[in-house]
């Protein structure tokens, strides 16, 4: 369909550069969708509702899924921002990334970074952590509780009772190794029986951690090396998941995809 190709190649390209760095307002995306919908069905800037032959949410899925392959801008924005997070964590030759690493704590993106843009990137960290695994170096950029390591689930999922008793959930691996998991500053004074049992297991895991002077490295099915990231494959995976959930809209602040990604990620034996 010629108009569908023009929508994806011309109209969508107007926002791609901005979406690679910013979270676009939903109202802006809706206005863009109205333009795209009008052009697709009427070949003009405006169109009557009766001219739309198919509901818009059925147009966006790929042709293999029964749609026309029109890009879902909200979902595309999410994937491009996750790519930005990956470049921040993994690119070693970008001056802006090096500067940001000095301003913020990468494990949580907290620091001298303020505004809605950074709040949005912080809200995307759970998604990024769900699709990557960390090879720990110095442990400074790795979340102790929420990052997966050595192809295993995140510690927050493995030890939920102990996690609920922790007072420093945002600590990095390096910080926990420094203070110890049994430190009074790390856990509440009184632990449940289940938390005590998990503490013994976690203590053994931490005792096996050996930090180095190298930076932490992230890898995963969408990581291409040298700071590159396959946002297209992530888009197709999230789109397929979104389709299976009866076309519920995927908002940047909502991570209904995380459970699927963790199940799919844990089924991988390696990359």
């Amino acid at each position: 369909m010629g108009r569908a190709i023009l929508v994806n190649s011309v109209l969508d390209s107007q926002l791609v550069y901005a979406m690679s760095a910013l979270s676009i307002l939903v109202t802006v995306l809706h206005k863009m969708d109205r333009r795209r919908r009008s052009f697709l069905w009427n070949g003009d800037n405006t169109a009557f509702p009766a001219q739309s032959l198919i509901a818009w949410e059925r147009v966006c899925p790929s042709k293999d899924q029964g749609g026309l392959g029109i890009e879902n801008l909200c979902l595309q924005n999410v994937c491009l921002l996750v790519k930005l997070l990956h470049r921040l964590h993994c690119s070693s030759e970008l001056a802006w990334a090096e500067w940001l690493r000095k301003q913020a704590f990468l494990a949580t993106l907290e620091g001298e970074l303020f505004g809605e843009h950074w709040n949005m990137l912080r809200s995307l960290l759970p998604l990024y952590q769900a699709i990557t695994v960390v090879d720990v170096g110095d442990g400074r950029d790795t979340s102790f509780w929420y990052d997966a390591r050595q192809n295993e689930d995140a510690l927050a999922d493995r030890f939920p009772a102990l996690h609920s008793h922790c007072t420093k959930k945002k600590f990095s691996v390096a910080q926990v190794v420094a203070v110890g998991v049994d430190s009074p500053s790390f856990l509440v004074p009184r632990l449940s029986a289940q938390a005590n049992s998990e503490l013994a297991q976690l203590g053994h895991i931490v005792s096996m951690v050996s930090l180095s002077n190298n930076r932490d490295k992230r890898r995963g099915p969408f990581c291409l090396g040298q700071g590159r990231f396959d946002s297209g494959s992530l888009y197709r995976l999230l789109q397929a998941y979104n389709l299976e959930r009866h076309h519920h809209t995927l908002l940047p602040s909502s991570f209904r995809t995380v459970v699927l990604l963790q199940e799919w990620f844990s089924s991988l034996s390696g990359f």
Side-chain angles (χ1 to χ4, degrees):
M1 188 174 182
R3 289 180 185 172
I5 295 175
L6 288 175
V7 166
N8 284 334
S9 61
V10 179
L11 294 181
D12 290 1
S13 63
Q14 298 175 4
L15 283 178
V16 168
Y17 184 78
M19 289 194 298
S20 298
L22 303 171
S23 174
I24 307 300
L25 294 175
V26 174
T27 53
V28 174
L29 296 181
H30 286 171
K31 290 180 180 179
M32 191 65 181
D33 279 343
R34 282 200 295 270
R35 289 184 59 190
R36 299 195 304 158
R37 184 166 53 245
S38 297
F39 179 78
L40 179 67
W41 298 121
N42 193 35
D44 205 343
N45 289 330
T46 59
F48 296 104
Q51 293 176 303
S52 299
L53 304 181
I54 306 174
W56 189 247
E57 61 268 19
R58 296 185 179 276
V59 171
C60 290
S62 66
K63 294 180 180 179
D64 293 338
Q65 296 169 332
L68 295 179
I70 301 296
E71 298 287 349
N72 182 323
L73 294 181
C74 182
L75 189 57
Q76 186 180 28
N77 195 184
V78 168
C79 294
L80 290 173
L81 289 178
V82 172
K83 180 178 182 178
L84 179 66
L85 280 176
H86 181 70
R87 296 178 69 191
L88 175 59
H89 279 80
C90 299
S91 295
S92 59
E93 299 179 354
L94 298 176
W96 65 268
E98 289 295 336
W99 178 83
L100 283 172
R101 293 186 192 112
K102 298 177 182 178
Q103 309 301 316
F105 179 44
L106 282 190
T108 59
L109 279 186
E110 293 187 347
E112 298 181 9
L113 302 174
F114 309 101
E116 289 302 317
H117 173 66
W118 294 106
N119 291 337
M120 173 58 65
L121 290 180
R122 291 185 191 102
S123 73
L124 287 172
L125 267 178
L127 176 58
Y128 181 60
Q129 290 168 333
I131 60 176
T132 57
V133 66
V134 183
D135 293 327
V136 177
D138 57 19
R140 296 174 57 189
D141 298 338
T142 303
S143 171
F144 179 77
W145 285 112
Y146 305 117
D147 274 317
R149 301 184 291 278
Q150 298 178 349
N151 294 338
E152 296 182 350
D153 292 336
L155 295 177
D157 298 323
R158 297 173 60 189
F159 306 109
L162 190 61
H163 174 258
S164 68
H165 289 68
C166 180
T167 58
K168 305 293 184 181
K169 293 183 173 66
K170 296 182 179 180
F171 265 21
S172 67
V173 171
Q175 288 175 308
V176 174
V177 170
V179 302
V181 292
D182 55 353
S183 170
S185 64
F186 187 65
L187 299 171
V188 297
R190 300 180 63 181
L191 303 181
S192 65
Q194 179 62 31
N196 268 312
S197 174
E198 293 179 356
L199 178 59
Q201 301 176 55
L202 185 60
H204 175 70
I205 292 175
V206 173
S207 68
M208 301 295 291
V209 175
S210 178
L211 301 181
S212 68
N213 294 324
N214 300 320
R215 281 188 54 198
D216 301 335
K217 295 182 180 180
R218 289 185 178 267
R219 54 190 174 89
F222 306 106
C223 304
L224 303 178
Q226 298 181 341
R228 296 176 300 154
F229 186 83
D230 188 358
S231 59
S233 294
L234 177 61
Y235 174 90
R236 289 187 288 273
L237 176 66
L238 298 188
Q239 184 188 53
Y241 176 81
N242 211 29
L243 185 67
E244 292 173 1
R245 292 299 181 271
H246 309 292
H247 305 289
H248 288 171
T249 302
L250 178 68
L251 298 177
S253 60
S254 177
F255 296 103
R256 287 185 291 269
T257 61
V258 171
V259 173
L260 172 75
L261 287 168
Q262 289 178 330
E263 292 174 350
W264 171 72
F265 182 70
S266 64
S267 68
L268 298 178
S269 58
F271 309 112

